[in-house]
Amino acid sequence: MYAGKIVEQAPVNPLFEAPLHPYTQGLMAAIPKMDRPVPANRRLQAISGIVPSLYELTTACAFRSRCNFQFERCSEEPPIFEAGPERSVRCWRHE
Ligand code: SF4
């Protein structure tokens, strides 16, 4: 969920192996890997920006200000798109 809405649904293994939504991808990339420790001079990956205030949401995709993949279409809120067996994602990249 992001900003109060479901952005991706999938069975556990496919979700962890290949997340589709940029927010899910950012969350997965931020998980420390015990078998690959982060060198002392590096930081864990983080999603830039902050969650928008629910009072300031526009008609655009709520993740737009933090998304590295945003394009023109993202000025409209995406619906949920089917993205495979038991998978769905709220992102225009999967239209
Ligand atoms: S709809 Fe656009 S801004 Fe929203 S997550 Fe997808 S690519 Fe990013």
Side-chain angles (χ1 to χ4, degrees):
M1 290 194 70
Y2 186 78
K5 293 193 174 171
I6 293 171
V7 295
E8 182 164 1
Q9 289 183 299
V12 172
N13 287 342
L15 185 77
F16 275 74
E17 288 166 9
L20 299 178
H21 194 279
Y23 180 57
T24 321
Q25 292 169 350
L27 291 177
M28 296 304 176
I31 297 173
K33 309 287 187 297
M34 298 308 286
D35 58 334
R36 283 178 277 150
V38 178
N41 63 344
R42 294 195 56 210
R43 301 183 65 128
L44 290 172
Q45 188 168 329
I47 301 170
S48 65
I50 59 172
V51 178
S53 164
L54 297 183
Y55 295 110
E56 296 170 357
L57 291 179
T58 66
T59 56
C61 172
F63 192 64
R64 186 177 187 189
S65 65
R66 308 176 75 187
C67 185
N68 294 329
F69 304 102
Q70 63 168 295
F71 59 108
E72 220 171 273
R73 191 82 166 104
C74 307
S75 61
E76 294 175 43
E77 182 181 359
I80 293 274
F81 295 104
E82 295 300 320
E86 299 181 69
R87 297 200 75 169
S88 57
V89 59
R90 185 183 299 279
C91 177
W92 286 117
R93 296 171 68 210
H94 297 274
E95 184 174 20

